[in-house]
Amino acid sequence: MIIVSPDRFPPLSPAEAAAAIAPVVGGTAFPLIDAYLGTSSHFAGERITLPTTTVTGRLTEATYTFNQEITTAFIDMAAASGKVPGYDPADGDSYGTGVLIADAVARRATTIVLSTGGSGAHDLGAGILTALGAQLQTATGRRLSPGAHALAELGSIDLNSLNTGVLGVTWIVYAPEVCGVDELHQPSVEKLTELTGVEPTATSGSGGGVPLALQYLVSLAGTGKVLVFNPLTMSEPYQQLRSSAADAELIITATPADKPTALTRAVRVASGDTDVIELTGAGEREWTAPALAEWVSNALPERSTGK
């Protein structure tokens, strides 16, 4: 068996990249979860597309996965609230992601897995709260503007119109970097924590601070939880890769970067004693599955190449 476990080749997710490479090498795709756009498509369930808004407030459409059997929604923040070139994430609005969450709650989701990689809304989840019916206001009662900087003027949070279906949800936050709030806009963090009573943790700054808003929702309900971690080496796909590596004759990983990335290094660690071919240096471009397959077929060294 040949295992194929590549990095993402934007806009191809690791799963899409693996599906493109596997037929070229006669291998089996073992894509990993990296918490960026495309993570939600990794999971079984109905793919749901609906209108929403971007971080700049423009109308768009976004898709997420809902598994009715386990009442779990898998949502990529980058699907609606992805980065916009030239636009400061501190000014970004996560409202569009909140629209997806509200739809999942309407379908009676009890667990929401939120992948925060590539988020262009570092607003501490304020836009999500707004989409769920919370009214964030200044001290004079004016509706708060979107973005992290505006939160420094937060004077009150009106919960009369809050979507109560969101209370009690278990939140699983996938983040490529798990961190505290030190890198966030501190006046906004201080104001939000003052009014919500939420104490930041070592993981609250992940994904632009979205765990802070989720912690607030959990505190209101008195039930549910917020779990934050990097899924790359802590998810089921990675454990499956590790257990299958011993029976594989070869593992192939690839990245468009010029040197190994966190994902490709994780593959090498999981490989154990199995030989690894690591393809790097494909370059940044708008990748398609056929283009990736062609590059791999040309870049693949002789099979005698070992680790």
Side-chain angles (χ1 to χ4, degrees):
M1 175 177 66
I2 297 175
I3 287 177
V4 178
S5 188
D7 206 340
R8 62 179 46 247
F9 282 72
L12 301 179
S13 68
E16 292 168 330
I21 296 172
V24 175
V25 300
T28 301
F30 270 74
L32 298 183
I33 298 174
D34 64 358
Y36 286 88
L37 183 64
T39 297
S40 65
S41 63
H42 195 104
F43 298 92
E46 180 185 0
R47 294 288 284 169
I48 297 168
T49 301
L50 62 153
T52 183
T53 57
T54 69
V55 293
T56 64
R58 295 176 64 89
L59 291 176
T60 188
E61 285 189 341
T63 303
Y64 74 96
T65 298
F66 181 68
N67 189 315
Q68 177 64 57
E69 185 176 349
I70 58 174
T71 60
T72 299
F74 301 90
I75 299 173
D76 302 331
M77 282 197 70
S81 308
K83 293 180 180 178
V84 173
Y87 197 79
D88 187 350
D91 295 324
D93 186 4
S94 62
Y95 184 94
T97 296
V99 171
L100 304 184
I101 292 172
D103 186 80
V105 168
R107 297 173 190 271
R108 301 186 183 278
T110 57
T111 300
I112 295 178
V113 180
L114 194 63
S115 298
T116 62
S119 170
H122 296 179
D123 64 350
L124 319 186
I128 290 175
L129 292 177
T130 301
L132 294 174
Q135 298 180 41
L136 279 59
Q137 302 170 335
T138 67
T140 59
R142 177 176 56 83
R143 181 178 177 180
L144 206 66
S145 300
H149 297 298
L151 277 170
E153 302 178 19
L154 183 63
S156 64
I157 302 176
D158 186 342
L159 298 174
N160 287 328
S161 299
L162 182 68
N163 182 341
T164 56
V166 79
L167 300 179
V169 165
T170 292
W171 304 90
I172 300 175
V173 178
Y174 287 168
E177 294 183 11
V178 177
C179 58
V181 298
D182 294 346
E183 299 301 318
L184 301 176
H185 186 56
Q186 286 305 307
S188 298
V189 172
E190 293 168 5
K191 184 63 69 172
L192 184 63
T193 56
E194 173 190 340
L195 289 180
T196 62
V198 170
E199 289 294 331
T201 69
T203 64
S204 296
S206 307
V210 69
L212 284 173
L214 307 182
Q215 289 171 246
Y216 177 46
L217 294 173
V218 167
S219 71
L220 292 174
T223 184
K225 63 184 71 172
V226 181
L227 304 174
V228 184
F229 62 92
N230 183 338
L232 181 57
T233 59
M234 297 182 64
S235 61
E236 184 177 348
Y238 189 74
Q239 302 310 317
Q240 291 175 340
L241 174 62
R242 292 187 65 180
S243 63
S244 299
D247 297 324
E249 60 178 289
L250 180 69
I251 297 176
I252 297 175
T253 186
T255 177
D258 291 331
K259 58 184 179 180
T261 63
L263 188 148
T264 56
R265 289 195 299 270
V267 171
R268 185 172 285 280
V269 170
S271 67
D273 294 328
T274 303
D275 286 345
V276 176
I277 290 179
E278 193 166 39
L279 305 177
T280 62
E284 299 297 330
R285 55 185 284 190
E286 193 78 4
W287 284 96
T288 64
L292 178 56
E294 180 180 3
W295 177 76
V296 168
S297 65
N298 292 329
L300 201 64
E302 295 296 327
R303 288 289 299 275
S304 60
T305 300
K307 280 192 172 186

